[in-house]
Amino acid sequence: MNNENEEEFIEIRLTDIPKEFYSEATGKPFANCSVCEKHLLTAGTRYMVEKAVKRYPKYKHQDVIFEYAICEECQIQMHEKLSTESKQRMMEFMNQRVKPGARSNKFYHEERFELTDWIGNCAVTQQPLAELTEYQIMAPFDGNKMAYTVFPMMLSVQALDEMVELLSTKSLEVLNGFKDDITGMPPDLHELFKESRFVVM
Ligand SMILES: [Zn+2]
């Protein structure tokens, strides 16, 4: 994000962790980093949670294809391994397509702090969640609180496909390696996870 946009996000509002971001596996908030297992629910410990959902509207059923929490340290380590070009292209994509300043104005400055306002539509394509068969949600946390910044955010599979296209072969290899480091994935979903689009913010 450029400096102009960063100034928009100095304010951070913290709320209790919404159920949408609980671990599907435990029915509770994520307590540990899915990579290094560091404890997360202490104030001052920052991390992201990301969940990918596949919906089968015909059967009124949905699966969480993958979910993980990643602590700030592990996230920084992984980002360092991604290629500079990939990171640059992703940043441009976010600035041009998500428009963080406009997003912040729309929600933050109007004090709209209902989660559905933030994740009800794809942040890139604006498609409503109810019409999607596959999407990911992601948000930043601090201990047992969720932080409203430019996140929480929902990305449709169409947006994720565009983002994967921006990644270099090297970066895709890094992300695929990261998938193997994630613990606690249900074994029966392992194949779906392997094939899923995976973009760490
Ligand atoms: Zn970690």
Side-chain angles (χ1 to χ4, degrees):
M1 312 245 166
N2 61 35
N3 289 334
E4 195 186 313
N5 282 322
E6 257 170 21
E7 281 167 25
E8 303 268 358
F9 306 124
I10 290 168
E11 289 176 276
I12 287 178
R13 175 179 288 227
L14 299 174
T15 64
D16 289 339
I17 299 176
K19 291 222 162 41
E20 285 84 346
F21 285 99
Y22 281 16
S23 161
E24 201 73 8
T26 65
K28 294 180 195 160
F30 286 86
N32 300 87
C33 173
S34 306
V35 182
C36 73
E37 303 200 349
K38 172 181 166 160
H39 182 69
L40 299 173
L41 298 172
T42 314
T45 302
R46 291 195 277 186
Y47 58 98
M48 292 285 292
V49 167
E50 197 160 334
K51 291 172 82 165
V53 179
K54 202 172 174 81
R55 302 171 71 225
Y56 309 91
K58 209 173 144 190
Y59 305 102
K60 296 194 169 71
H61 177 75
Q62 65 178 44
D63 277 330
V64 172
I65 310 175
F66 67 78
E67 59 173 11
Y68 65 86
I70 181 170
C71 74
E72 202 170 34
E73 291 78 19
C74 287
Q75 195 180 17
I76 289 169
Q77 275 184 23
M78 197 189 49
H79 267 246
E80 280 171 357
K81 291 185 207 158
L82 298 177
S83 74
T84 314
E85 308 82 66
S86 295
K87 283 186 275 196
Q88 184 65 33
R89 284 197 291 262
M90 289 288 272
M91 202 176 351
E92 281 166 12
F93 181 87
M94 291 298 280
N95 280 333
Q96 288 167 12
R97 303 289 299 282
V98 175
K99 300 188 181 72
R103 189 172 163 86
S104 171
N105 280 332
K106 183 173 165 191
F107 297 127
Y108 215 106
H109 297 147
E110 288 182 17
E111 303 245 319
R112 289 167 61 183
F113 293 108
E114 289 293 330
L115 185 64
T116 47
D117 286 338
W118 294 64
I119 66 168
N121 293 76
C122 171
V124 173
T125 67
Q126 306 306 324
Q127 287 164 285
L129 192 146
E131 292 176 11
L132 298 173
T133 52
E134 197 174 333
Y135 62 89
Q136 294 182 17
I137 56 171
M138 56 215 70
F141 297 79
D142 182 330
N144 63 355
K145 299 285 178 194
M146 185 181 82
Y148 281 101
T149 56
V150 67
F151 298 98
M153 194 180 278
M154 185 269 281
L155 294 172
S156 62
V157 74
Q158 288 82 356
L160 291 158
D161 277 343
E162 280 193 61
M163 292 165 87
V164 168
E165 290 285 310
L166 302 174
L167 296 169
S168 66
T169 312
K170 181 189 161 221
S171 296
L172 285 170
E173 280 168 12
V174 170
L175 290 172
N176 282 328
F178 174 73
K179 279 183 180 178
D180 295 332
D181 292 340
I182 293 179
T183 55
M185 283 296 304
D188 55 331
L189 294 178
H190 198 73
E191 283 309 309
L192 265 179
F193 179 49
K194 282 271 180 204
E195 292 162 13
S196 61
R197 296 132 186 102
F198 190 67
V199 181
V200 169
M201 308 297 277

